[in-house]
Amino acid sequence: MSEEKSLNFIEEIISQDLASGKYASILTRFPPEPNGYLHIGHAKSICLNFGLAKQFGGKTNLRFDDTNPAKEDIEYVDSIKEDVKWLGFEWAKECYASDYFDQLYTFAVQLIEKGLAYVDDSSAAEIAEQKGTPTAPGTGNAFRNRTEAENLELFAAMKAGKYADGEKVLRAKIDLSSPNMHMRDPLLYRIKRAHHHRTGDQWCIYPMYDFAHGQSDSIENITHSVCTLEFIPHRALYDWCIEQLGIYPSHQYEFARLNMTYTVMSKRKLLQLVEEGHVESWDDPRMPTISGMRRRGYTADSIRDFCDRIGIAKRENIIDLSLLEFCVREHLNKIAQRRMVVTNPIKLVITNYDKGEEILHSENNPEDPNGGTRDVPFSNELWIEREDFMEEPTKKYFRLGPGLSVRLKSAYIVSCESFEKDAEGNITTVYATYNVDSKSGQDTSGIPVKGTLHWVSAKHAVPVVLNEYDRLFNVEDLASAEGDFKDYMNPISLKKVNAFAEPALANDALDARFQFLRKGYFYQDTKSTKDKLVFNRT
Ligand code: ATP
Ligand code: MG
């Protein structure tokens, strides 16, 4: 019997809308503002919007909500497109709110003609003051009584650049005593001289979010416009504009935004981390951005899996970062190629190995029967980890020490004979003998061993740098932490470690995922070169 996953509340609504014939098919959108790189919260929104369309045989538009020229940039547009594609989604249309500026202007004129919008000369402070409070109605001002002709002329003059920034605004004329503050004559247009990344200097007035978003949905015939809970109070205005303009009735639905432990999720704060140099860039592997996670080695599959598992809620909550890490590990365990890397080396000399060198074979992934093997050169001088040798081994120590035997991964069993120290008393070299009949996979030696060590042939080793990342912040719930979020930064969230790696790594595919034995998952950094290999710990 197959177990059917129950539908979440948005899926319920959509399936009813399709069953009732309200829509023949659905069209959703993902509407980022191109003022920063996308983060894992956006991934949730992407998976939701594109996922719904996929699930119900509909489509999704990618719409850049680019109505605030001061903070927007083409670099962000490009990164957003790359991230959505990387997550595995295809948009039906690439749209820009700025492409609708003419249409939006016409809509505003229509509202003026209906007596539903007016030009207000008050300052921002005056407007706020005249709006009243949630318990006291607004007073408004005399500009509210301007005639249609006067408003049309002034609005045209605003557009023509006759006034300075902030000198006038266009407001909707709705209800100054509405319990919903957003309905107390909200701003529709402001004057702002800023170069727009698409429309250049063509406009000096720009529509506000509330006058752009719903109308853009409507222009594109979006059926289900899904956004986060903070937009609930905006919904009345969304509906009001659409109704007054008599345009396509898109509908807004809200779900709880994703919050995660140990990180911040606001482009404004992430921009601060970049600009103040707390991280290298937007795609720094410690960042909660999609590009940072990609560079760190997270897979698109694991991010989609995570977004799926957390589902959607109607109430704010905070998700444990460890759930995302679990999803990543689960996927990597299936696909990661096993490799051997030694970080804190001591020399292991095999005194009776007189073949010079040979090529051994080691499996790429024990989880994958078709994973194949790779060549690993073996010789009489190897690097092993310092921590895998103990001068005076304790009883339960199953690694190497005087008189102890151990298996070298995919190679032979070796038995320690002696060791050497430098002047400071640090072990430098361990001497051992190997058993010729103990080759991995064809072991007839009968020697019982409990430990298996990773190793790298010294003369074949390639030097690599490992970036070992830790959490960027020390506290779980940053939203509730007092003071500046940057006070909670982990002072050591990155350690750079030199290491010796088996030579296969120099020729592996750039996008291959690795598990370095006994160390964790690693992914080649975007700045890694053949001469200086760099791997990020995922
Ligand atoms: P930020 O506060 O990080 O700048 P934003 O909401 O201003 O985020 P937008 O570019 O406007 O960013 O967001 C695009 C879409 O992604 C919106 O529909 C928004 O609701 C959604 N979104 C943003 N952050 C989250 C989040 N943490 N969880 C779920 N959806 C989100
Ligand atoms: Mg926003």
Side-chain angles (χ1 to χ4, degrees), residues 309-338:
R309 280 173 199 254
I310 56 180
I312 64 164
K314 276 185 171 172
R315 223 182 267 188
E316 288 287 338
N317 55 358
I318 180 160
I319 304 285
D320 223 308
L321 175 62
S322 58
L323 178 62
L324 175 58
E325 292 170 344
F326 167 83
C327 295
V328 173
R329 269 197 303 273
E330 223 189 32
H331 188 220
L332 289 181
N333 185 43
K334 288 190 208 131
I335 63 164
Q337 307 271 305
R338 273 54 170 178

PDB file of all heavy atoms in Angstrom, residues 309-338:
ATOM      1  N   ARG A 309      11.624  18.551   3.526  1.00  0.00           N
ATOM      2  CA  ARG A 309      11.401  18.000   4.876  1.00  0.00           C
ATOM      3  C   ARG A 309      10.821  19.015   5.842  1.00  0.00           C
ATOM      4  O   ARG A 309      10.029  18.661   6.708  1.00  0.00           O
ATOM      5  CB  ARG A 309      12.724  17.504   5.476  1.00  0.00           C
ATOM      6  CG  ARG A 309      13.146  16.154   4.968  1.00  0.00           C
ATOM      7  CD  ARG A 309      14.533  15.860   5.510  1.00  0.00           C
ATOM      8  NE  ARG A 309      15.187  14.822   4.749  1.00  0.00           N
ATOM      9  CZ  ARG A 309      15.351  13.571   5.186  1.00  0.00           C
ATOM     10  NH1 ARG A 309      14.915  13.225   6.376  1.00  0.00           N
ATOM     11  NH2 ARG A 309      15.958  12.689   4.443  1.00  0.00           N
ATOM     12  N   ILE A 310      11.236  20.277   5.738  1.00  0.00           N
ATOM     13  CA  ILE A 310      10.728  21.260   6.703  1.00  0.00           C
ATOM     14  C   ILE A 310       9.294  21.642   6.403  1.00  0.00           C
ATOM     15  O   ILE A 310       8.598  22.166   7.258  1.00  0.00           O
ATOM     16  CB  ILE A 310      11.607  22.531   6.808  1.00  0.00           C
ATOM     17  CG1 ILE A 310      11.767  23.188   5.445  1.00  0.00           C
ATOM     18  CG2 ILE A 310      12.961  22.213   7.392  1.00  0.00           C
ATOM     19  CD1 ILE A 310      12.620  24.449   5.479  1.00  0.00           C
ATOM     20  N   GLY A 311       8.827  21.370   5.190  1.00  0.00           N
ATOM     21  CA  GLY A 311       7.442  21.654   4.858  1.00  0.00           C
ATOM     22  C   GLY A 311       7.136  23.130   4.955  1.00  0.00           C
ATOM     23  O   GLY A 311       8.041  23.966   4.998  1.00  0.00           O
ATOM     24  N   ILE A 312       5.843  23.469   5.007  1.00  0.00           N
ATOM     25  CA  ILE A 312       5.526  24.881   5.172  1.00  0.00           C
ATOM     26  C   ILE A 312       4.605  25.055   6.367  1.00  0.00           C
ATOM     27  O   ILE A 312       3.749  24.233   6.649  1.00  0.00           O
ATOM     28  CB  ILE A 312       4.936  25.534   3.910  1.00  0.00           C
ATOM     29  CG1 ILE A 312       3.598  24.912   3.549  1.00  0.00           C
ATOM     30  CG2 ILE A 312       5.894  25.462   2.751  1.00  0.00           C
ATOM     31  CD1 ILE A 312       2.848  25.777   2.572  1.00  0.00           C
ATOM     32  N   ALA A 313       4.829  26.158   7.056  1.00  0.00           N
ATOM     33  CA  ALA A 313       4.071  26.412   8.276  1.00  0.00           C
ATOM     34  C   ALA A 313       3.381  27.758   8.168  1.00  0.00           C
ATOM     35  O   ALA A 313       3.730  28.595   7.346  1.00  0.00           O
ATOM     36  CB  ALA A 313       5.022  26.413   9.466  1.00  0.00           C
ATOM     37  N   LYS A 314       2.388  27.953   9.034  1.00  0.00           N
ATOM     38  CA  LYS A 314       1.685  29.235   9.081  1.00  0.00           C
ATOM     39  C   LYS A 314       2.153  30.054  10.257  1.00  0.00           C
ATOM     40  O   LYS A 314       1.621  31.112  10.543  1.00  0.00           O
ATOM     41  CB  LYS A 314       0.180  28.983   9.224  1.00  0.00           C
ATOM     42  CG  LYS A 314      -0.511  28.723   7.902  1.00  0.00           C
ATOM     43  CD  LYS A 314      -1.990  28.619   8.150  1.00  0.00           C
ATOM     44  CE  LYS A 314      -2.771  28.571   6.867  1.00  0.00           C
ATOM     45  NZ  LYS A 314      -4.171  28.292   7.081  1.00  0.00           N
ATOM     46  N   ARG A 315       3.105  29.525  10.989  1.00  0.00           N
ATOM     47  CA  ARG A 315       3.585  30.227  12.162  1.00  0.00           C
ATOM     48  C   ARG A 315       5.104  30.262  12.147  1.00  0.00           C
ATOM     49  O   ARG A 315       5.745  29.299  11.716  1.00  0.00           O
ATOM     50  CB  ARG A 315       3.136  29.460  13.400  1.00  0.00           C
ATOM     51  CG  ARG A 315       2.630  30.377  14.476  1.00  0.00           C
ATOM     52  CD  ARG A 315       2.244  29.588  15.665  1.00  0.00           C
ATOM     53  NE  ARG A 315       0.828  29.241  15.643  1.00  0.00           N
ATOM     54  CZ  ARG A 315       0.226  28.666  16.668  1.00  0.00           C
ATOM     55  NH1 ARG A 315       0.913  28.331  17.740  1.00  0.00           N
ATOM     56  NH2 ARG A 315      -1.055  28.400  16.611  1.00  0.00           N
ATOM     57  N   GLU A 316       5.680  31.368  12.592  1.00  0.00           N
ATOM     58  CA  GLU A 316       7.141  31.507  12.611  1.00  0.00           C
ATOM     59  C   GLU A 316       7.775  30.407  13.458  1.00  0.00           C
ATOM     60  O   GLU A 316       7.261  30.035  14.507  1.00  0.00           O
ATOM     61  CB  GLU A 316       7.543  32.860  13.217  1.00  0.00           C
ATOM     62  CG  GLU A 316       7.253  34.053  12.338  1.00  0.00           C
ATOM     63  CD  GLU A 316       8.195  34.185  11.139  1.00  0.00           C
ATOM     64  OE1 GLU A 316       9.312  33.632  11.181  1.00  0.00           O
ATOM     65  OE2 GLU A 316       7.790  34.832  10.162  1.00  0.00           O
ATOM     66  N   ASN A 317       8.876  29.888  12.990  1.00  0.00           N
ATOM     67  CA  ASN A 317       9.614  28.908  13.778  1.00  0.00           C
ATOM     68  C   ASN A 317      11.082  28.986  13.390  1.00  0.00           C
ATOM     69  O   ASN A 317      11.446  29.725  12.492  1.00  0.00           O
ATOM     70  CB  ASN A 317       9.062  27.493  13.557  1.00  0.00           C
ATOM     71  CG  ASN A 317       9.058  27.129  12.091  1.00  0.00           C
ATOM     72  OD1 ASN A 317       9.422  27.925  11.222  1.00  0.00           O
ATOM     73  ND2 ASN A 317       8.652  25.917  11.788  1.00  0.00           N
ATOM     74  N   ILE A 318      11.907  28.243  14.094  1.00  0.00           N
ATOM     75  CA  ILE A 318      13.336  28.267  13.772  1.00  0.00           C
ATOM     76  C   ILE A 318      13.801  26.831  13.568  1.00  0.00           C
ATOM     77  O   ILE A 318      13.539  25.965  14.384  1.00  0.00           O
ATOM     78  CB  ILE A 318      14.143  29.049  14.839  1.00  0.00           C
ATOM     79  CG1 ILE A 318      15.627  29.085  14.503  1.00  0.00           C
ATOM     80  CG2 ILE A 318      13.919  28.539  16.232  1.00  0.00           C
ATOM     81  CD1 ILE A 318      16.376  30.206  15.217  1.00  0.00           C
ATOM     82  N   ILE A 319      14.424  26.602  12.440  1.00  0.00           N
ATOM     83  CA  ILE A 319      14.821  25.247  12.068  1.00  0.00           C
ATOM     84  C   ILE A 319      16.284  25.039  12.443  1.00  0.00           C
ATOM     85  O   ILE A 319      17.120  25.927  12.261  1.00  0.00           O
ATOM     86  CB  ILE A 319      14.642  25.014  10.551  1.00  0.00           C
ATOM     87  CG1 ILE A 319      13.203  25.313  10.103  1.00  0.00           C
ATOM     88  CG2 ILE A 319      15.084  23.619  10.148  1.00  0.00           C
ATOM     89  CD1 ILE A 319      12.184  24.276  10.476  1.00  0.00           C
ATOM     90  N   ASP A 320      16.556  23.853  12.937  1.00  0.00           N
ATOM     91  CA  ASP A 320      17.895  23.505  13.353  1.00  0.00           C
ATOM     92  C   ASP A 320      18.810  23.337  12.138  1.00  0.00           C
ATOM     93  O   ASP A 320      18.494  22.580  11.233  1.00  0.00           O
ATOM     94  CB  ASP A 320      17.816  22.162  14.104  1.00  0.00           C
ATOM     95  CG  ASP A 320      18.669  22.187  15.328  1.00  0.00           C
ATOM     96  OD1 ASP A 320      19.858  22.542  15.176  1.00  0.00           O
ATOM     97  OD2 ASP A 320      18.154  21.879  16.417  1.00  0.00           O
ATOM     98  N   LEU A 321      19.930  24.039  12.184  1.00  0.00           N
ATOM     99  CA  LEU A 321      20.919  23.905  11.111  1.00  0.00           C
ATOM    100  C   LEU A 321      21.316  22.440  10.916  1.00  0.00           C
ATOM    101  O   LEU A 321      21.627  22.000   9.809  1.00  0.00           O
ATOM    102  CB  LEU A 321      22.157  24.747  11.465  1.00  0.00           C
ATOM    103  CG  LEU A 321      23.355  24.678  10.545  1.00  0.00           C
ATOM    104  CD1 LEU A 321      23.005  25.168   9.148  1.00  0.00           C
ATOM    105  CD2 LEU A 321      24.513  25.514  11.094  1.00  0.00           C
ATOM    106  N   SER A 322      21.271  21.658  12.007  1.00  0.00           N
ATOM    107  CA  SER A 322      21.721  20.271  11.902  1.00  0.00           C
ATOM    108  C   SER A 322      20.822  19.451  10.978  1.00  0.00           C
ATOM    109  O   SER A 322      21.256  18.446  10.418  1.00  0.00           O
ATOM    110  CB  SER A 322      21.818  19.625  13.278  1.00  0.00           C
ATOM    111  OG  SER A 322      20.567  19.695  13.913  1.00  0.00           O
ATOM    112  N   LEU A 323      19.589  19.894  10.767  1.00  0.00           N
ATOM    113  CA  LEU A 323      18.734  19.164   9.827  1.00  0.00           C
ATOM    114  C   LEU A 323      19.268  19.327   8.399  1.00  0.00           C
ATOM    115  O   LEU A 323      19.320  18.378   7.625  1.00  0.00           O
ATOM    116  CB  LEU A 323      17.280  19.646   9.910  1.00  0.00           C
ATOM    117  CG  LEU A 323      16.328  18.962   8.919  1.00  0.00           C
ATOM    118  CD1 LEU A 323      16.230  17.463   9.176  1.00  0.00           C
ATOM    119  CD2 LEU A 323      14.945  19.599   8.955  1.00  0.00           C
ATOM    120  N   LEU A 324      19.692  20.550   8.086  1.00  0.00           N
ATOM    121  CA  LEU A 324      20.280  20.779   6.759  1.00  0.00           C
ATOM    122  C   LEU A 324      21.561  19.957   6.617  1.00  0.00           C
ATOM    123  O   LEU A 324      21.789  19.303   5.593  1.00  0.00           O
ATOM    124  CB  LEU A 324      20.565  22.275   6.565  1.00  0.00           C
ATOM    125  CG  LEU A 324      21.299  22.677   5.284  1.00  0.00           C
ATOM    126  CD1 LEU A 324      20.542  22.225   4.041  1.00  0.00           C
ATOM    127  CD2 LEU A 324      21.518  24.184   5.242  1.00  0.00           C
ATOM    128  N   GLU A 325      22.366  19.971   7.677  1.00  0.00           N
ATOM    129  CA  GLU A 325      23.623  19.216   7.631  1.00  0.00           C
ATOM    130  C   GLU A 325      23.368  17.715   7.469  1.00  0.00           C
ATOM    131  O   GLU A 325      24.094  17.018   6.768  1.00  0.00           O
ATOM    132  CB  GLU A 325      24.458  19.507   8.882  1.00  0.00           C
ATOM    133  CG  GLU A 325      24.970  20.949   8.891  1.00  0.00           C
ATOM    134  CD  GLU A 325      25.608  21.387  10.200  1.00  0.00           C
ATOM    135  OE1 GLU A 325      25.412  20.701  11.241  1.00  0.00           O
ATOM    136  OE2 GLU A 325      26.277  22.424  10.198  1.00  0.00           O
ATOM    137  N   PHE A 326      22.308  17.257   8.106  1.00  0.00           N
ATOM    138  CA  PHE A 326      21.927  15.850   7.970  1.00  0.00           C
ATOM    139  C   PHE A 326      21.599  15.529   6.511  1.00  0.00           C
ATOM    140  O   PHE A 326      22.049  14.523   5.954  1.00  0.00           O
ATOM    141  CB  PHE A 326      20.717  15.556   8.875  1.00  0.00           C
ATOM    142  CG  PHE A 326      20.054  14.235   8.594  1.00  0.00           C
ATOM    143  CD1 PHE A 326      20.558  13.064   9.144  1.00  0.00           C
ATOM    144  CD2 PHE A 326      18.935  14.165   7.769  1.00  0.00           C
ATOM    145  CE1 PHE A 326      19.956  11.843   8.873  1.00  0.00           C
ATOM    146  CE2 PHE A 326      18.331  12.949   7.483  1.00  0.00           C
ATOM    147  CZ  PHE A 326      18.839  11.790   8.042  1.00  0.00           C
ATOM    148  N   CYS A 327      20.815  16.396   5.881  1.00  0.00           N
ATOM    149  CA  CYS A 327      20.424  16.166   4.480  1.00  0.00           C
ATOM    150  C   CYS A 327      21.651  16.148   3.568  1.00  0.00           C
ATOM    151  O   CYS A 327      21.738  15.353   2.633  1.00  0.00           O
ATOM    152  CB  CYS A 327      19.458  17.252   3.999  1.00  0.00           C
ATOM    153  SG  CYS A 327      17.876  17.234   4.861  1.00  0.00           S
ATOM    154  N   VAL A 328      22.602  17.037   3.874  1.00  0.00           N
ATOM    155  CA  VAL A 328      23.815  17.105   3.061  1.00  0.00           C
ATOM    156  C   VAL A 328      24.627  15.818   3.221  1.00  0.00           C
ATOM    157  O   VAL A 328      25.050  15.202   2.244  1.00  0.00           O
ATOM    158  CB  VAL A 328      24.663  18.339   3.459  1.00  0.00           C
ATOM    159  CG1 VAL A 328      26.009  18.324   2.754  1.00  0.00           C
ATOM    160  CG2 VAL A 328      23.911  19.629   3.138  1.00  0.00           C
ATOM    161  N   ARG A 329      24.814  15.404   4.477  1.00  0.00           N
ATOM    162  CA  ARG A 329      25.589  14.183   4.730  1.00  0.00           C
ATOM    163  C   ARG A 329      24.947  12.979   4.058  1.00  0.00           C
ATOM    164  O   ARG A 329      25.617  12.119   3.505  1.00  0.00           O
ATOM    165  CB  ARG A 329      25.692  13.915   6.236  1.00  0.00           C
ATOM    166  CG  ARG A 329      26.911  14.551   6.875  1.00  0.00           C
ATOM    167  CD  ARG A 329      27.189  13.923   8.217  1.00  0.00           C
ATOM    168  NE  ARG A 329      26.040  14.032   9.114  1.00  0.00           N
ATOM    169  CZ  ARG A 329      25.813  15.093   9.896  1.00  0.00           C
ATOM    170  NH1 ARG A 329      26.659  16.088   9.920  1.00  0.00           N
ATOM    171  NH2 ARG A 329      24.748  15.142  10.654  1.00  0.00           N
ATOM    172  N   GLU A 330      23.616  12.940   4.151  1.00  0.00           N
ATOM    173  CA  GLU A 330      22.929  11.790   3.582  1.00  0.00           C
ATOM    174  C   GLU A 330      23.177  11.661   2.095  1.00  0.00           C
ATOM    175  O   GLU A 330      23.426  10.578   1.579  1.00  0.00           O
ATOM    176  CB  GLU A 330      21.433  11.882   3.873  1.00  0.00           C
ATOM    177  CG  GLU A 330      20.983  10.549   4.281  1.00  0.00           C
ATOM    178  CD  GLU A 330      19.502  10.396   4.416  1.00  0.00           C
ATOM    179  OE1 GLU A 330      18.721  11.041   3.691  1.00  0.00           O
ATOM    180  OE2 GLU A 330      19.159   9.584   5.264  1.00  0.00           O
ATOM    181  N   HIS A 331      23.121  12.774   1.417  1.00  0.00           N
ATOM    182  CA  HIS A 331      23.349  12.725  -0.026  1.00  0.00           C
ATOM    183  C   HIS A 331      24.819  12.461  -0.340  1.00  0.00           C
ATOM    184  O   HIS A 331      25.144  11.632  -1.190  1.00  0.00           O
ATOM    185  CB  HIS A 331      22.888  14.036  -0.683  1.00  0.00           C
ATOM    186  CG  HIS A 331      22.918  13.973  -2.177  1.00  0.00           C
ATOM    187  ND1 HIS A 331      23.336  15.005  -2.959  1.00  0.00           N
ATOM    188  CD2 HIS A 331      22.605  12.959  -3.037  1.00  0.00           C
ATOM    189  CE1 HIS A 331      23.268  14.648  -4.230  1.00  0.00           C
ATOM    190  NE2 HIS A 331      22.825  13.414  -4.312  1.00  0.00           N
ATOM    191  N   LEU A 332      25.713  13.149   0.377  1.00  0.00           N
ATOM    192  CA  LEU A 332      27.141  12.982   0.079  1.00  0.00           C
ATOM    193  C   LEU A 332      27.610  11.556   0.340  1.00  0.00           C
ATOM    194  O   LEU A 332      28.439  11.036  -0.396  1.00  0.00           O
ATOM    195  CB  LEU A 332      27.971  13.976   0.905  1.00  0.00           C
ATOM    196  CG  LEU A 332      27.840  15.432   0.471  1.00  0.00           C
ATOM    197  CD1 LEU A 332      28.723  16.318   1.346  1.00  0.00           C
ATOM    198  CD2 LEU A 332      28.200  15.609  -0.999  1.00  0.00           C
ATOM    199  N   ASN A 333      27.065  10.948   1.367  1.00  0.00           N
ATOM    200  CA  ASN A 333      27.477   9.580   1.662  1.00  0.00           C
ATOM    201  C   ASN A 333      27.231   8.674   0.458  1.00  0.00           C
ATOM    202  O   ASN A 333      27.995   7.755   0.181  1.00  0.00           O
ATOM    203  CB  ASN A 333      26.724   9.062   2.886  1.00  0.00           C
ATOM    204  CG  ASN A 333      27.216   7.692   3.312  1.00  0.00           C
ATOM    205  OD1 ASN A 333      28.427   7.447   3.325  1.00  0.00           O
ATOM    206  ND2 ASN A 333      26.291   6.792   3.615  1.00  0.00           N
ATOM    207  N   LYS A 334      26.179   8.975  -0.292  1.00  0.00           N
ATOM    208  CA  LYS A 334      25.860   8.145  -1.457  1.00  0.00           C
ATOM    209  C   LYS A 334      26.766   8.454  -2.637  1.00  0.00           C
ATOM    210  O   LYS A 334      27.044   7.578  -3.452  1.00  0.00           O
ATOM    211  CB  LYS A 334      24.402   8.397  -1.884  1.00  0.00           C
ATOM    212  CG  LYS A 334      23.387   7.802  -0.941  1.00  0.00           C
ATOM    213  CD  LYS A 334      21.998   7.866  -1.553  1.00  0.00           C
ATOM    214  CE  LYS A 334      20.937   7.947  -0.469  1.00  0.00           C
ATOM    215  NZ  LYS A 334      19.963   8.999  -0.699  1.00  0.00           N
ATOM    216  N   ILE A 335      27.175   9.698  -2.769  1.00  0.00           N
ATOM    217  CA  ILE A 335      27.860  10.066  -4.013  1.00  0.00           C
ATOM    218  C   ILE A 335      29.341  10.402  -3.865  1.00  0.00           C
ATOM    219  O   ILE A 335      30.045  10.495  -4.862  1.00  0.00           O
ATOM    220  CB  ILE A 335      27.158  11.258  -4.708  1.00  0.00           C
ATOM    221  CG1 ILE A 335      27.211  12.503  -3.817  1.00  0.00           C
ATOM    222  CG2 ILE A 335      25.716  10.915  -5.067  1.00  0.00           C
ATOM    223  CD1 ILE A 335      26.892  13.790  -4.562  1.00  0.00           C
ATOM    224  N   ALA A 336      29.803  10.595  -2.617  1.00  0.00           N
ATOM    225  CA  ALA A 336      31.182  11.089  -2.463  1.00  0.00           C
ATOM    226  C   ALA A 336      32.210  10.012  -2.801  1.00  0.00           C
ATOM    227  O   ALA A 336      32.072   8.849  -2.437  1.00  0.00           O
ATOM    228  CB  ALA A 336      31.395  11.600  -1.043  1.00  0.00           C
ATOM    229  N   GLN A 337      33.248  10.434  -3.492  1.00  0.00           N
ATOM    230  CA  GLN A 337      34.382   9.569  -3.816  1.00  0.00           C
ATOM    231  C   GLN A 337      35.312   9.551  -2.616  1.00  0.00           C
ATOM    232  O   GLN A 337      35.690  10.601  -2.105  1.00  0.00           O
ATOM    233  CB  GLN A 337      35.173  10.174  -4.987  1.00  0.00           C
ATOM    234  CG  GLN A 337      34.341  10.487  -6.198  1.00  0.00           C
ATOM    235  CD  GLN A 337      34.268   9.303  -7.107  1.00  0.00           C
ATOM    236  OE1 GLN A 337      35.301   8.781  -7.518  1.00  0.00           O
ATOM    237  NE2 GLN A 337      33.066   8.857  -7.394  1.00  0.00           N
ATOM    238  N   ARG A 338      35.712   8.353  -2.205  1.00  0.00           N
ATOM    239  CA  ARG A 338      36.637   8.266  -1.066  1.00  0.00           C
ATOM    240  C   ARG A 338      38.062   8.545  -1.526  1.00  0.00           C
ATOM    241  O   ARG A 338      38.492   8.035  -2.569  1.00  0.00           O
ATOM    242  CB  ARG A 338      36.548   6.879  -0.415  1.00  0.00           C
ATOM    243  CG  ARG A 338      35.460   6.748   0.645  1.00  0.00           C
ATOM    244  CD  ARG A 338      34.081   7.154   0.183  1.00  0.00           C
ATOM    245  NE  ARG A 338      33.041   6.780   1.152  1.00  0.00           N
ATOM    246  CZ  ARG A 338      31.765   7.062   1.010  1.00  0.00           C
ATOM    247  NH1 ARG A 338      31.337   7.730  -0.053  1.00  0.00           N
ATOM    248  NH2 ARG A 338      30.889   6.688   1.915  1.00  0.00           N
TER     249      ARG A 338
END
